[in-house]
Amino acid sequence: MKLDFKELTETKAVVVVEGTNPSIMNALRQTLVSDIPKMAIEFVEFHLGPIRDQDGREYESISPLFDEILSHRLGMVPIPTDLDFFNFREECECEGEGCPKCSIMYVLNKKGPCTVYSGDLEPVGDSSLKIKEDLIPLVRLSEGQAPLIYATAVLGTGRNHAKWQVCHGVGYKYYPIVKINGRKCDKGASCVRICPRDVLVEGDKKIEVADLEACTLCMSCVEECEPGAITVEGDPTKFVLTLETDGSVTAQRALQYAMDNLVEKAEAFREGVSSLG
Ligand SMILES: [Zn+2]
C-alpha cells in the first residue's frame, strides 16, 4: 500500500491510497466515522439562584434558553482530545468515579448582556484543555442574566452520539483514468465546457487532461463527445480519500488511530477463530 498526501492540515487530509481495494477503504471510512474516540460534554450542572459580583450587582443564574438546549449546544463543542492520555470512564482506574484521566471539567460564568462563546468555557486545572474553536456562539444573555454552569466532558465514540464523532465529510473515490482519443473528437470542445470540475482543457490540437484528480467520474464528457472519443474509468486499486475532523483530534492522528483500530479488530477476530481449536 502506498500513500501520497495531497493535502494535510490540522483538520483536513486528502490522500491517494494505492494498492488496496474497495472493502478496505470502506472499512477505513466506517472506522473514521464511528470508532475514533474524543472528549465531549456529557454532564451539565446548572447553578440555581442569584449571583453577586465584586461590585455588589446581582444577577440571576439563568439564560434565555431551556437548560436542555444549552446542554445540547455544549455537548457539540469540540474538546481537544489527547488519545494517548484519556481513558473511557468505565475502563478507567477510578472505576467510573471520574478523574483527570477520564474527565475534564469546564466552568462557564458570563454576565449579560453579552454573547457566550465556546471559548468562554474555562477548564478546571490544565489550561491546555482550553477550547481551540473558541468562537462558536452558544447563547445571547440579556441584562441581569449570568448562568453559572459546570460541564464535564468524557470520552465516547460516534457510534453513541454525533457529539463524539471526530471525522466529518469522510469519503473516497476511485482514482480516475481518463483517456482521450483526439482524432475522434470534432464537436468543438463542448466536452471541455460540460465538465463540472474543469478536468479537461483545449490544447493546441487536441483535448487534454488538466486536472485528473478533480474528476468525479460523472461521465458528462463521455456522453457529450463522439462515442469512443473519451473513456473515463475508475481504478479499483487506487483511491482518493478525503477526511476532515472537528479539531478535537488532528487529521493525521485520526488516520493513525483508525488504522490501529482496524488491526486490533482483525486481531480479535483472528483470535476468536483460533479459539475454536
Ligand atoms: Zn478515571
Side-chain angles (χ1 to χ4, degrees), residues 87-89 91-103:
N87 299 323
F88 286 101
R89 221 174 206 198
E91 292 167 12
C92 190
E93 50 223 40
C94 69
E95 293 175 351
E97 292 261 321
C99 72
K101 290 278 287 175
C102 65
S103 325

Side-chain angles (χ1 to χ4, degrees), residues 13 48 111 146 161 170:
L48 295 176
K111 295 180 177 71
H161 194 286
V170 188

Side-chain angles (χ1 to χ4, degrees), residues 1-6 14-21 24-25 28 173 175 213 235-241 255 259:
M1 198 182 274
K2 209 175 116 197
L3 300 182
D4 181 10
F5 281 86
K6 297 288 170 187
V14 179
V15 51
V16 176
V17 188
E18 222 175 310
T20 180
N21 62 54
I24 290 188
M25 293 308 291
L28 178 59
K173 64 173 183 185
Y175 198 88
E213 280 164 20
D235 183 340
T237 66
K238 194 172 173 185
F239 301 85
V240 183
L241 173 73
L255 259 178
M259 291 316 295

Side-chain angles (χ1 to χ4, degrees), residues 140-160:
R140 189 173 289 165
L141 300 177
S142 307
E143 187 71 47
Q145 296 181 329
L148 173 59
I149 295 169
Y150 298 97
T152 307
V154 299
L155 207 59
T157 63
R159 238 169 238 287
N160 293 325

Side-chain angles (χ1 to χ4, degrees), residues 60-76:
E60 193 68 26
S61 175
I62 49 166
S63 84
L65 291 178
F66 288 118
D67 293 353
E68 293 88 333
I69 297 177
L70 190 49
S71 302
H72 180 258
R73 291 185 182 181
L74 287 167
M76 302 307 283

